[in-house]
Amino acid sequence: MDLGAGRGGDVIDLNADLGEGFGRWTLTEDEALLSVVTSANVACGFHAGDPSTMRRVCALAAERGVRIGAQVSYRDLAGFGRRAMDVPPDELADEVAYQIGALQVFAQAAGARVAYVKPHGALYNRTVHDEEQAQAVVRGVQLAAPGLPVLGLPGSRLHEAAGRAELPVVAEAFADRAYTPNGALVPRREPDAVVHEAHAVVHRSVAIARDGEVTARTGERVRLRARSLCVHGDTPGAADLARRVRTALRAAGVRVEAFA
């Protein structure tokens, strides 16, 4: 089942990565972003996040009607989950299930539930092209909560594996990341991989949601089907930028609502 089918244009979800702190260290503007986004990708402790942060974000999300998603990662606190790792598939499946289960406890305590799963960082990028790692993530989802939608890049190995397992898939686009002509994300290690100018992020958001396209770093127009649009929560001024994006989407006639 493809929950991201269609051209965009009518309705889109706004998601952001939240709960990306640890102990006394905080990174994301959780409370402010939860007044703007419709889905929250909550860090589950492997790249960021701790039990108290997870509980707090789930409570705030439930209070505001924001859907809670498990943002699963490689076990990499020091590298914020952005370092390439080779994890045996069985171990990765168990770790994905563990992270979903941990977040589910706090979502249920808040009177809500985990509504979807999204990989983070290096795991997200690895499962775009790595069949074995993609299948491991899907097995982890099946272990923890069979039937959960999987949010990811259209055409990825992750979506293919999820589809074969009869898990719903949701196509995601990024307002603040550069794209290659074939619709892949430009790796963060390369120049201009992240779009920093607020007006450019807002313009790209509308083009993705209303027109179903994005301009690649090299200038080509890339067709892009997306049901959810990500604005990174660790971007400076992320909450204000998310508000500008949502305001522009509404002005363009795009309805903003959760997919789950």
Side-chain angles (χ1 to χ4, degrees), residues 4-11 207-213 223-226:
R7 182 171 72 87
D10 297 320
V11 59
I208 290 168
R210 184 188 62 194
D211 306 322
E213 68 178 30
R223 300 299 298 171
L224 191 64
R225 297 168 49 203

Side-chain angles (χ1 to χ4, degrees), residues 28-119:
T28 47
E29 302 175 69
D30 294 336
E31 190 162 358
L33 279 164
L34 283 167
S35 68
V36 183
V37 300
T38 47
S39 295
N41 317 317
V42 183
C44 297
F46 272 36
H47 75 282
D50 57 39
S52 294
T53 301
M54 293 162 68
R55 178 193 56 75
R56 178 177 53 80
V57 174
C58 285
L60 286 169
E63 178 183 298
R64 298 178 186 191
V66 176
R67 300 298 186 270
I68 297 168
Q71 187 161 45
V72 298
S73 171
Y74 287 128
R75 190 192 295 267
D76 182 26
L77 276 175
F80 197 59
R82 287 181 175 163
R83 298 185 293 189
M85 302 182 76
D86 288 313
V87 180
D90 288 346
E91 184 177 331
L92 179 58
D94 292 341
E95 292 187 345
V96 166
Y98 179 92
Q99 292 175 79
I100 296 169
L103 188 65
Q104 187 72 280
V105 168
F106 296 114
Q108 290 175 346
R113 63 184 177 88
V114 173
Y116 64 94
V117 177
K118 174 185 173 179

Side-chain angles (χ1 to χ4, degrees), residues 5 9 11 20 30 41 64 89 109 111 201 206 230 246 257-258:
V11 59
E20 290 184 327
D30 294 336
N41 317 317
R64 298 178 186 191
V201 174
V206 173
C230 180
R246 185 158 184 163
E257 63 181 44

Side-chain angles (χ1 to χ4, degrees), residues 120-199:
H120 165 82
L123 182 58
Y124 188 103
N125 293 325
R126 181 75 172 266
T127 58
V128 169
H129 59 81
D130 189 311
E131 178 71 25
E132 188 175 63
Q133 296 281 280
Q135 289 181 355
V137 170
V138 169
R139 289 202 304 275
V141 175
Q142 291 175 308
L143 276 172
L148 276 187
V150 176
L151 180 61
L153 207 65
S156 63
R157 292 289 183 267
L158 177 63
H159 270 192
E160 292 173 2
R164 289 194 299 271
E166 299 185 348
L167 297 178
V169 295
V170 184
E172 179 180 37
F174 292 83
D176 53 2
R177 289 293 308 276
Y179 280 83
T180 69
N182 65 359
L185 296 176
V186 174
R188 281 183 177 268
R189 64 179 178 275
E190 296 185 14
D192 303 319
V194 178
V195 180
H196 295 287
E197 299 80 7
H199 72 278

